[in-house]
Every structure is written in structure tokens, then in C-alpha cells.
Amino acid sequence: MGDKHRVIIVGGGAGGLELATKLGNRYGKRGSAQITLIDKSRTHIWKPLLHEVAAGTLDSAEDELEYLAQARWHHFRFRLGKMLGLDRDKKEVLLAPTYNNEGQVIIPERRFPYDTLIIAVGSLSNDFGIKGVDRHCLFLDSTEQAERFQQKLLDSMLYAHTCTKPIEKGQLDVVIVGAGATGVELAAQLHHVTRQLAAYGLDTIDPSQHIKLHIIEAGPRILQALPERISNAALEELHRLGVTVHVNERVIEVTEHGVQTSSGEFIPAHFKVWAAGIKAPEFIKDLAGLESNQINQLVVEPTLQTTRDDSIFALGDCAACPSSEPGRNVPPRAQSAHQQASLMVKNFKRRLLGRKLLNYQYRDYGSLIAMGKYSTVGSLMGNLAGSYFVSGYTARVVYLSLYKMHQAALYGWPRAILISLLHFLRRGVDPQIKLH
Ligand SMILES: Cc1cc2nc3c(=O)[nH]c(=O)nc-3n(C[C@H](O)[C@H](O)[C@H](O)COP(=O)(O)OP(=O)(O)OC[C@H]3O[C@@H](n4cnc5c(N)ncnc54)[C@H](O)[C@@H]3O)c2cc1C
């Protein structure tokens, strides 16, 4: 064990878990390097599914992956813990103690030595310091938060259904701040789910009358990062669903009762969801003298090496990696994390052999927006060879295939196909949404 190259990957998300699996299969299996994955959670859910968990159209228990099992099957070690610091002189990662629900320490503070460190801790919602956001908004940064949202929605619907008083203005209304993919997809999912809940017996609630859905966007149009044609198609669908879209509206305060905008409008809502922009976790800002940007991301070279330390790499949402467009960084997306994990596998081999590392080049294969069960729109090929607008069945199939590719990277295609088949069979016997 002693002189094996020690690789530590912190963060087992879209990028880190694929990387640990690939390096485990390649180097851990042969015993030529020791691969360790550290995550603060015990299980993994692919983050782009979180709005479905929040809406209750996906049961997280069915789709989560157990890190310990994945580690055993793919020849890496999994260590539970939250990274809180780094000692670059000793080349050690510092982990906070882990507590149980009763507040007792179950794992003490620990240090893990590394020869190569890869930081892939993702991102969190950015509240931009706006008053009340932290206290009154719901976020979709983790499975726990998404599950809390689902419980809160269900509880509120049950309460409204059984309460003898009439439903008050705003009591079941939802305001989503941020009209990026997360906000738009969540609005469509919530439209579907609230109708389903009424159909499953909460029939004193008339969703079209009692539940208003709002999206607030500071920019001039929804889905600003995507081509205008997609934005228009999605807006049309939102209008059809009765979602009120406010553009060019900045939120200046969130209170217990609703959202105040800069134009003086107050939108009452029980549910306030914040989905407006991201930042990397606070602890990596100026981590042990590494360079970070204004949203805490670690600044990396195109090789994914941090600018001030060759043996520390960063990838995914927590990395500020220059893109081919001058002055712009690679966007924080699952496809970037996936591609960077694949490049990292190649660069790790080169690093072991003492060869020059390869540069990462972002390839935009397009973006798809799934509006619940109603429709899917998007573009394919992104910045490659022009982009093609797609909608309907083709778009839905491609949208689903993104997750299948993640599953294939983790389990291999035969198991990924088997899991899909099991899902399909379960759909025939389970309710369409989570009812507890
Ligand atoms: C609702 C939603 C929908 C989205 N839809 C899309 C989409 O359709 N297409 C797309 O391309 N992208 C989408 N995204 C963005 C995409 O999910 C992210 O870009 C992607 O997950 C980033 O991958 P990552 O590996 O960098 O981080 P993540 O996948 O976020 O993983 C980070 C991991 O680090 C762990 N971690 C965090 N802090 C610590 C710590 N201190 N110590 C130890 N472990 C830690 C976390 O537990 C987590 O497992 C969506 C995001 C959301 C929230």
C-alpha cells in the first residue's frame, strides 16, 4: 500500500462519482493506485433530477446510489465526511466530524493524505445577499432540500383539503425566482403534480383556482442561456399551463408571506423557491491560498489543474475553467462535469507517466427542457456544427438519454438498461407521484 499513488476525489456528484468509478476500474482494480472518494452524503442522486424529487414525480429512494456499494463494485474506497479545509504543505484534506441525528459524533475529524487531489464539490444556490432569501426560500441544492419541499407541498395540500376555513390568497401559491432550466422545469412539474394530488382525493382543492404558479426573472426573457427559439417555445407552454411569468423583475426581498420586487409589486406565496444563479461552497473560497473567483469557484487551467498547485485539480460546478469563447468560463452543467471527468481520467494517466496534460475543451451537445409530462423542447448539437431545434418525442428521448449516459458511466450499459426496465415495470404498479 505504502508507495501507491494516492488519489483523493472530494465530491461524488455528476463529475466526481463518474471519475471515481472510472479510476477505480482502471487503477484501483489493478492495485496501481489507491482511489478514495469523499462525500458528505451517504448516497448519490444525479442533481438534474432534484426538481422531480421536489415535485414528487420521482422517489429519491428508488434512484439513489449507495456510495459504499459502488466503491466495492468499482475498486475504490468511500469515506463519509464533509471537507472543511486543506493543508497544502502536508498534502492533506481535512474533514469535519460527522454527527448522527442526536448530535453525537459518529466519525471524528479526520485528515486524508493525497498525491493527487480532485475537488468536485459542486455548487449551491446564490442568494446574492438579498434580504430574507436564506430564511424564507426553499432551495434545490441537495436531496434533503428537495425532499423537504415535497413534504411541505404535500402537508400544505392535506391541510388545505381538510381545513374548514376557505383557502386564503397565496396559501398554496408558489413563486419560483429564476427562469433558468431548473425554475422552468419545476414550474411545469408542479402544475402536473398539484393536479395529480387533487385527482388522488384532495378534491376540495381546485388547482386552477387555488394554486397560482409564478416565475420571476431579472433578465428580459426566460432560459436566457439558451437560444431564443427554445425560450419562446417554453414560454408558450408555461402560458398554456397558466403559469405567470414576470420578466425584467428583480426580487429585492423575500418575507414569510411572499416576494417583493423592485417594481413595487408584492407577490404573495406560501412557497418561495430560489433558483437564480449558483456559487461554489463557501469553504473553497481562498482555500489554502488557491485562487478563487467572486462566486467562490476554484480557478483552473484548461488542464483542470488549479492555478497555484499542480497536484490539485477541480472540475464541475466548483471550477472556473476557461472556455473557448474569450472571457467566458465553461457553464456549470452536468454535461461539463461529465466531460471533465472523462478528460481527468486521461490526464491522470499522463500525470503518472510524466507526460504533458491535455486541455479541456467544452463541447455543447445542446440543452433540453422537460416541461413535466407536457412537452420537451431544446436544441441539439449546441456549439457543434450549428444547433437543431427539437421538440416532442425526439426531445424527450434525448432528454432521458442524458441520465441514461450517467447511469451507464456508473453501472455499465447492461445494468443501466436493466434499471430502466425495472423502472418501467414499476410505473405500471406505483402511483404516478409520491403520496407520502
Ligand atoms: C434542479 C436542477 C436541474 C438541473 N438540470 C440540469 C440539466 O438538465 N442539464 C445539465 O447539464 N445540468 C443540469 N443541472 C446542473 C447540474 O446538476 C450540475 O451542473 C452538475 O450536477 C454539477 O456536477 P458536479 O459534479 O460539479 O457537482 P454535483 O453533482 O452537485 O456534486 C457535488 C457533490 O459534492 C458533495 N459535496 C459538496 N460539498 C462537500 C464537502 N464539503 N465535502 C464533501 N462532499 C461535498 C455533494 O454531496 C455532491 O455529492 C441542474 C441542476 C439542478 C439543481
Side-chain angles (χ1 to χ4, degrees):
M1 224 31 158
D3 52 1
K4 260 189 216 171
H5 191 103
R6 292 158 306 182
V7 180
I8 301 272
I9 302 162
V10 187
L17 183 56
E18 290 188 12
L19 177 64
T21 303
K22 286 179 180 163
L23 291 182
N25 286 342
R26 226 165 264 192
Y27 300 96
K29 190 172 182 183
R30 279 193 250 131
S32 51
Q34 183 191 62
I35 316 295
T36 305
L37 174 69
I38 293 170
D39 201 287
K40 62 186 169 111
S41 304
R42 295 167 199 236
T43 55
H44 160 80
I45 285 250
W46 196 52
K47 205 173 173 185
L49 297 177
L50 288 186
H51 64 286
E52 294 188 37
V53 174
T57 47
L58 183 100
D59 187 344
S60 56
E62 278 175 29
D63 260 80
E64 66 192 354
L65 172 151
E66 306 263 6
Y67 284 122
L68 279 171
Q70 182 75 358
R72 173 150 189 232
W73 295 328
H74 297 278
H75 317 281
F76 63 88
R77 306 189 308 171
F78 172 68
R79 296 294 179 260
L80 178 68
K82 183 171 181 175
M83 180 177 178
L84 50 70
L86 178 66
D87 184 333
R88 275 170 63 202
D89 295 331
K90 291 191 183 147
K91 290 193 151 201
E92 286 177 342
V93 171
L94 279 53
L95 299 195
T98 303
Y99 300 90
N100 63 13
N101 290 340
E102 282 79 49
Q104 295 152 338
V105 174
I106 49 167
I107 306 172
E109 195 174 294
R110 289 185 289 178
R111 287 172 166 258
F112 284 90
Y114 63 84
D115 298 303
T116 299
L117 170 63
I118 302 138
I119 301 179
V121 290
S123 62
L124 307 165
S125 303
N126 193 346
D127 67 7
F128 304 101
I130 295 167
K131 198 170 161 198
V133 175
D134 197 20
R135 182 134 181 254
H136 301 293
C137 283
L138 293 153
F139 301 91
L140 294 184
D141 293 331
S142 65
T143 314
E144 295 73 36
Q145 289 176 344
E147 284 169 346
R148 209 173 305 138
F149 183 107
Q150 186 264 339
Q151 285 298 313
K152 203 172 159 178
L153 179 71
L154 200 54
D155 291 351
S156 302
M157 295 272 293
L158 282 169
Y159 176 76
H161 171 62
T162 47
C163 187
T164 47
K165 287 189 290 181
I167 296 170
E168 286 171 22
K169 189 170 159 56
Q171 185 178 331
L172 293 174
D173 294 356
V174 184
V175 168
I176 300 166
V177 185
T182 304
V184 170
E185 292 187 338
L186 180 66
Q189 288 281 354
L190 289 176
H191 182 277
H192 169 58
V193 162
T194 47
R195 271 131 192 96
Q196 284 290 313
L197 284 170
Y200 274 112
L202 309 187
D203 48 11
T204 52
I205 302 169
D206 172 3
S208 55
Q209 194 195 331
H210 296 130
I211 306 175
K212 302 264 175 294
L213 299 171
H214 298 261
I215 300 184
I216 305 182
E217 168 60 46
R221 66 175 172 96
I222 66 165
L223 300 170
Q224 280 198 87
L226 306 184
E228 208 156 339
R229 190 167 172 198
I230 301 176
S231 161
N232 291 341
L235 184 65
E236 207 174 293
E237 188 65 52
L238 289 174
H239 283 156
R240 205 182 61 77
L241 299 178
V243 177
T244 311
V245 179
H246 311 250
V247 290
N248 291 315
E249 272 291 16
R250 259 186 333 102
V251 170
I252 52 168
E253 188 180 352
V254 180
T255 71
E256 191 191 341
H257 304 291
V259 169
Q260 181 69 54
T261 70
S262 55
S263 68
E265 194 178 357
F266 183 79
I267 302 165
H270 182 58
F271 297 95
K272 285 84 55 184
V273 187
W274 196 259
I278 60 126
K279 64 177 180 186
E282 214 63 44
F283 84 96
I284 59 169
K285 186 181 180 172
D286 303 321
L287 179 67
L290 296 176
E291 188 186 357
S292 55
N293 66 9
Q294 72 287 1
I295 56 163
N296 305 340
Q297 289 171 313
L298 291 170
V299 181
V300 296
E301 304 287 355
T303 56
L304 304 180
Q305 282 163 307
T306 52
T307 47
R308 295 179 189 153
D309 194 324
D310 280 0
S311 54
I312 302 178
F313 295 70
L315 59 85
D317 285 7
C318 72
C321 179
S323 82
S324 49
E325 284 177 56
R328 301 195 68 166
N329 284 334
V330 171
R333 298 172 66 183
Q335 56 175 313
S336 328
H338 166 78
Q339 292 168 17
Q340 289 179 338
S342 302
L343 181 95
M344 191 62 228
V345 176
K346 292 184 192 148
N347 272 351
F348 179 64
K349 181 176 179 190
R350 287 175 166 259
R351 184 167 153 76
L352 285 183
L353 297 171
R355 292 205 196 130
K356 190 170 179 284
L357 303 193
L358 301 172
N359 284 344
Y360 171 66
Q361 208 180 355
Y362 175 58
R363 292 172 157 268
D364 182 358
Y365 287 100
S367 300
L368 291 151
I369 306 297
M371 315 279 290
K373 73 173 187 64
Y374 304 110
S375 71
T376 305
V377 290
S379 66
L380 295 183
M381 307 309 283
N383 62 6
L384 307 168
S387 77
Y388 301 96
F389 179 81
V390 284
S391 62
Y393 186 71
T394 317
R396 184 76 197 151
V397 169
V398 181
Y399 181 85
L400 293 175
S401 70
L402 295 177
Y403 181 42
K404 295 296 153 225
M405 278 165 68
H406 177 65
Q407 288 183 311
L410 301 183
Y411 304 113
W413 276 110
R415 269 190 77 191
I417 291 168
L418 190 62
I419 291 169
S420 303
L421 193 63
L422 287 173
H423 258 272
F424 178 73
L425 294 175
R426 283 197 72 138
R427 285 182 85 92
V429 288
D430 285 344
Q432 283 189 25
I433 53 168
K434 196 173 171 211
L435 296 167
H436 63 278

